[in-house]
Amino acid sequence: MAESRDVPVYLFTGFLEAGKTKFIQETLCDERFNKGEKTLLLVCEEGVEEYEPDEFSGENVFIKIVEEESELSEELLRSFIKETDAERVVVEYNGMWMLDSLYQAMPEEWVVYQEFMFADATTFLTYNQNMRQLTYDKLKSCELVVFNRFTREMDKMPYHKIVRGASRRADIA
């Protein structure tokens, strides 16, 4: 029986228009990150921004789309890896889906190497006020929170309090 290898997973969470797609696009265009490894790009949320695969560094990025949270299953994720022979996975996760849905569906050999949460600073406080459970879900395990569209006039403290209430270890940018 063949030994299974760990499959590194880079997980990007956050809500619509937070900057996930743009950041992932730039990352996959960067030769320092994308040196030609076969990469499964698992897209669970399609926003305004679209991927431009012809600009990726290397030609080994395979995009698979999951439209509904209920579609997530170990069988589906294994089939994507088998079909693409991917060595790693980049996930753009839907902010309206609970992370447990992904974690329960992930094959055992999938290991989250890094988890990032992106937020639009102009809407984050409202999201937290109205959808606290979803916001907390994305903050509790992330390593880095990126607040896009943050201006000098905005008070940092409410953002920091929310992040620190969910996680003491997350870096904030």
Side-chain angles (χ1 to χ4, degrees), residues 26-92:
E26 290 174 2
T27 300
L28 291 172
C29 288
D30 189 336
E31 292 176 3
R32 293 173 296 174
F33 179 80
N34 193 13
K35 299 175 186 166
E37 300 93 333
K38 289 183 179 178
T39 303
L40 168 61
L41 175 52
L42 186 63
V43 179
C44 300
E45 177 177 76
E46 293 183 274
V48 176
E49 291 280 330
E50 293 196 17
Y51 288 103
E52 298 179 32
D54 56 321
E55 294 184 13
F56 292 157
S57 173
E59 297 178 9
N60 287 323
V61 178
F62 306 95
I63 300 174
K64 296 292 181 183
I65 297 171
V66 177
E67 304 262 349
E68 300 291 330
E69 185 176 9
S70 60
E71 292 177 39
L72 285 172
S73 69
E74 184 174 345
E75 294 75 30
L76 178 68
L77 300 179
R78 282 189 189 282
S79 73
F80 288 162
I81 289 291
K82 186 175 182 179
E83 181 182 332
T84 63
D85 196 30
E87 303 167 55
R88 64 183 179 178
V89 179
V90 173
V91 180
E92 180 177 6

Side-chain angles (χ1 to χ4, degrees), residues 150-165:
F150 202 92
T151 65
R152 292 178 196 256
E153 295 78 34
M154 298 169 94
D155 181 7
K156 294 178 187 176
M157 286 313 294
Y159 299 85
H160 281 253
K161 285 180 180 179
I162 293 166
V163 173
R164 291 293 170 248

Side-chain angles (χ1 to χ4, degrees), residues 11-16 20 42-46 66-69 91-99 134 137-138:
L11 178 57
F12 296 84
T13 68
F15 300 103
L16 270 175
K20 296 182 303 291
L42 186 63
V43 179
C44 300
E45 177 177 76
E46 293 183 274
V66 177
E67 304 262 349
E68 300 291 330
E69 185 176 9
V91 180
E92 180 177 6
Y93 201 65
N94 189 317
M96 301 306 287
W97 300 356
M98 297 299 285
L99 278 171
L134 285 170
D137 181 62
K138 308 308 176 281

